[in-house]
Amino acid sequence: MEPTTKTETLDIEGMTCASCASFVEKSLTRTPGVHRAVVNFATEKATVDYVPTQATPATLKEAVVNAGYGVTERAPTPAPPTGRPKSTSRKRWLTKSSSAASGWLPPWP
């Protein structure tokens, strides 16, 4: 039976080229317990699939730091808004746009 894997996304600091991303990816892949690591230079993010009993987020960060790069702590994701959105801004926009448009209409003959 295959052990359960987790996915961790890390924000990488200090990469200046695609070769840097490849180096970080290799460093993460060589970490015991890591099944897959994909590093995107453009977004400066690493997505790592690992076995939690063999690796931890701390060991993943350590692999990145040992490779010569930094890891930025991720901000917690905000909770999605609940309830119905307020419609006052839409009403204001409709009022402003209709009054502005009425000034641009040609007079009736």
Side-chain angles (χ1 to χ4, degrees), residues 3 9 21 30 34 44 49 60 68-69 73 80:
T9 301
R30 291 179 181 152
V34 173
E44 298 181 327
D49 295 333
L60 301 177
Y69 301 90
E73 292 297 321

Side-chain angles (χ1 to χ4, degrees), residues 54-80:
Q54 298 175 2
T56 64
T59 58
L60 301 177
K61 291 175 187 177
E62 184 180 337
V64 173
V65 170
N66 288 341
Y69 301 90
V71 178
T72 305
E73 292 297 321
R74 300 191 87 181
T77 55

Side-chain angles (χ1 to χ4, degrees), residues 10 24 39 52 56 82:
L10 305 171
V24 172
V39 179
T56 64
T82 58

Side-chain angles (χ1 to χ4, degrees), residues 86-94:
K86 295 182 180 180
S87 61
T88 56
S89 61
R90 179 177 162 78
K91 287 179 184 176
R92 279 191 214 136
W93 181 82
L94 288 172

Side-chain angles (χ1 to χ4, degrees), residues 8-103:
E8 183 77 21
T9 301
L10 305 171
D11 294 327
I12 310 296
E13 294 179 331
M15 294 188 298
T16 57
C17 62
S19 179
C20 296
S22 177
F23 190 68
V24 172
E25 193 171 286
K26 285 179 187 176
S27 179
L28 285 165
T29 304
R30 291 179 181 152
T31 303
V34 173
H35 283 286
R36 184 180 70 96
V38 177
V39 179
N40 187 320
F41 166 66
T43 62
E44 298 181 327
K45 294 189 186 311
T47 305
V48 186
D49 295 333
Y50 66 98
V51 179
T53 57
Q54 298 175 2
T56 64
T59 58
L60 301 177
K61 291 175 187 177
E62 184 180 337
V64 173
V65 170
N66 288 341
Y69 301 90
V71 178
T72 305
E73 292 297 321
R74 300 191 87 181
T77 55
T82 58
R84 189 173 169 180
K86 295 182 180 180
S87 61
T88 56
S89 61
R90 179 177 162 78
K91 287 179 184 176
R92 279 191 214 136
W93 181 82
L94 288 172
T95 304
K96 288 180 182 178
S97 63
S98 63
S99 63
S102 65

